Amino acid sequence: MDFLRNLFSQTLGLGTQKERLLDDLTLEGVARYMLSERCRRVICLVGAGISTSAGIPDFRSPSTGLYANLQKYHLPYPEAIFEIGYFKKHPEPFFALAKELYPGQFKPTLCHYFIRLLKEKGMLLRCYTQNIDTLERVAGLEPEDLVEAHGTFYTSHCVSPLCRREYTLSWMKEKIFSEVTPKCEKCQSVVKPDIVFFGENLPARFFSCIQSDFLKVDLLIIMGTSLQVQPFASLIGKAPLSTPRLLINKEKTGQTDPFLGMMMGLGGGMDFDSKKAYRDVAWLGDCDQGCLALADLLGWKKELEDLVRKEHASIDAQSGSGSPNPTTSASPRKSPPPAKEEARTMEGEKP
């Protein structure tokens, strides 16, 4: 009975504190809140949409998305390329795709550097990313700033549960670019980068960090994600009821039914348009443009543009390449899936 009482209380907003902290449900209102004393700790939740302007495809765009361009791999269905059962039997398509999308071939976007700027200003509590392109690290975020919810390319392991030998990034890179399926030197099983496939569990760090982070967050900024992959999508419901939530995305998302969301343990959905809306703001469009607009309102625009130019020039100098990244310009244009705990769902968005 207590469980049901608490469930309905949370679902219907009974006996809870819903303080409105934004003076206006607009980007301008969010900017004013960020400049106030009330906003000290920001969590960013990001997906593939923040990396598209770097040249990395998202997953679902009808003609340019990753899943729309996998015909050459002759998969039974597009999502199979990221499913652990299929990978163990047929690893070749994944490694062919990995060569195309391998970390180190792309530069961070303006959006990545906006998150870096939040860190430099002492406001970033954590960045939770669904991406495995490592561009958050390249942009200057440290491991402690990040929760790489869907894993990382930095390490790899033998898939055999009796072996699990670890391999380095350089070892894996050499195998991928020589077009050799990586095999364990000890047992000859396939070696897989430590990224989370469907059918695997998320890293333990994901679950340990959310226990403390979301109790003290003052603002959620959600960018470039359709919020369909669980349990990542449920994070929007972990923040206190008064915490404002800003979505920067091509379309509105996360608007699950509040009652069903609570029943399924997914937390409260976003509410942008109803008469009861009090904390959710949607800025629709390209993620880089959204971050630039917010930076402008915060008085950070020039600082952000200068940071992008400086960092991209440094990357070009290190690589010996003078070719510009799509996002090197300060006027921006308009990524895929090791450990213990709750598994990613096989439904909804893939990865």
Side-chain angles (χ1 to χ4, degrees), residues 164-204:
R164 301 296 295 160
R165 175 177 282 193
E166 181 174 313
Y167 292 88
T168 64
L169 177 64
S170 59
W171 183 92
M172 178 58 74
K173 182 176 182 180
E174 189 276 327
K175 299 296 183 185
I176 289 176
F177 281 87
S178 62
E179 300 184 359
V180 174
T181 299
K183 294 291 185 67
C184 179
E185 296 171 355
K186 179 181 179 182
C187 74
Q188 291 303 301
S189 295
V190 177
V191 177
K192 184 182 76 67
D194 288 343
I195 60 177
V196 180
F197 278 50
F198 297 106
E200 292 190 297
N201 297 316
L202 270 65

Side-chain angles (χ1 to χ4, degrees), residues 14-305:
L14 303 176
T16 56
Q17 298 298 315
K18 289 186 177 182
E19 180 184 2
R20 177 164 174 161
L21 299 178
L22 300 178
D23 59 32
D24 192 26
L25 297 181
T26 61
L27 196 66
E28 290 79 4
V30 173
R32 286 190 291 271
Y33 173 67
M34 290 180 69
L35 293 172
S36 75
E37 290 295 316
R38 297 293 299 268
C39 186
R40 298 170 182 264
R41 296 171 293 268
V42 178
I43 288 178
C44 294
L45 308 178
V46 303
I50 74 166
S51 294
T52 54
S53 64
I56 301 173
D58 63 10
F59 294 94
R60 282 175 178 72
S61 293
S63 59
T64 60
L66 185 64
Y67 290 142
N69 291 277
L70 295 176
Q71 297 90 343
K72 59 186 174 182
Y73 299 121
H74 307 292
L75 301 165
Y77 46 91
E79 295 85 354
I81 202 166
F82 295 121
E83 290 185 354
I84 189 61
Y86 186 84
F87 171 83
K88 288 180 178 180
K89 296 177 181 177
H90 307 285
E92 297 82 9
F94 169 77
F95 286 114
L97 178 65
K99 183 178 179 181
E100 297 182 36
L101 302 178
Y102 200 80
Q105 302 183 88
F106 305 94
K107 284 182 271 192
T109 67
L110 187 145
C111 193
H112 290 97
Y113 288 112
F114 178 79
I115 302 171
R116 156 89 174 268
L117 208 53
L118 287 174
K119 169 184 167 64
E120 291 185 351
K121 294 183 178 296
M123 298 181 71
L124 183 67
L125 175 58
R126 202 89 61 196
C127 175
Y128 287 71
T129 178
Q130 294 173 284
N131 301 333
I132 61 164
D133 53 38
T134 73
L135 290 181
E136 295 89 1
R137 293 179 183 244
V138 179
L141 298 190
E142 300 295 331
E144 59 266 25
D145 301 320
L146 286 167
V147 172
E148 292 162 315
H150 294 170
T152 178
F153 259 97
Y154 273 108
T155 56
S156 301
H157 283 83
C158 172
V159 299
S160 170
L162 300 177
C163 180
R164 301 296 295 160
R165 175 177 282 193
E166 181 174 313
Y167 292 88
T168 64
L169 177 64
S170 59
W171 183 92
M172 178 58 74
K173 182 176 182 180
E174 189 276 327
K175 299 296 183 185
I176 289 176
F177 281 87
S178 62
E179 300 184 359
V180 174
T181 299
K183 294 291 185 67
C184 179
E185 296 171 355
K186 179 181 179 182
C187 74
Q188 291 303 301
S189 295
V190 177
V191 177
K192 184 182 76 67
D194 288 343
I195 60 177
V196 180
F197 278 50
F198 297 106
E200 292 190 297
N201 297 316
L202 270 65
R205 175 172 167 78
F206 174 84
F207 298 94
S208 62
C209 284
I210 64 176
Q211 296 300 319
S212 59
D213 286 352
F214 284 82
L215 293 175
K216 52 192 177 186
V217 61
D218 298 317
L219 172 67
L220 284 184
I221 301 180
I222 304 122
M223 299 185 282
T225 173
S226 61
L227 291 176
Q228 292 183 34
V229 172
Q230 298 295 346
F232 190 92
S234 69
L235 295 181
I236 62 169
K238 302 291 186 184
L241 288 175
S242 293
T243 301
R245 304 182 294 190
L246 168 65
L247 175 72
I248 298 177
N249 203 42
K250 287 184 178 180
E251 57 190 11
K252 292 179 182 178
T253 188
Q255 296 167 282
T256 56
D257 178 83
F259 180 76
L260 291 179
M262 292 305 302
M263 289 295 290
M264 298 174 65
L266 306 182
M270 307 284 277
D271 179 5
F272 304 110
D273 304 311
S274 83
K275 294 181 179 180
K276 296 181 179 180
Y278 68 101
R279 62 165 175 165
D280 295 332
V281 175
W283 190 97
L284 302 185
D286 174 79
C287 289
D288 284 348
Q289 294 286 2
C291 286
L292 194 65
L294 181 54
D296 191 18
L297 292 169
L298 292 167
W300 302 353
K301 183 179 179 181
K302 184 178 186 304
E303 188 176 358
L304 178 58
E305 292 172 331

Side-chain angles (χ1 to χ4, degrees), residues 1-18 241 258-259 261-263 265 267-268:
M1 184 60 68
D2 286 341
F3 168 78
L4 290 175
R5 186 181 296 112
N6 291 335
L7 174 63
F8 281 99
S9 176
Q10 292 176 14
T11 304
L12 302 175
L14 303 176
T16 56
Q17 298 298 315
K18 289 186 177 182
L241 288 175
F259 180 76
M262 292 305 302
M263 289 295 290

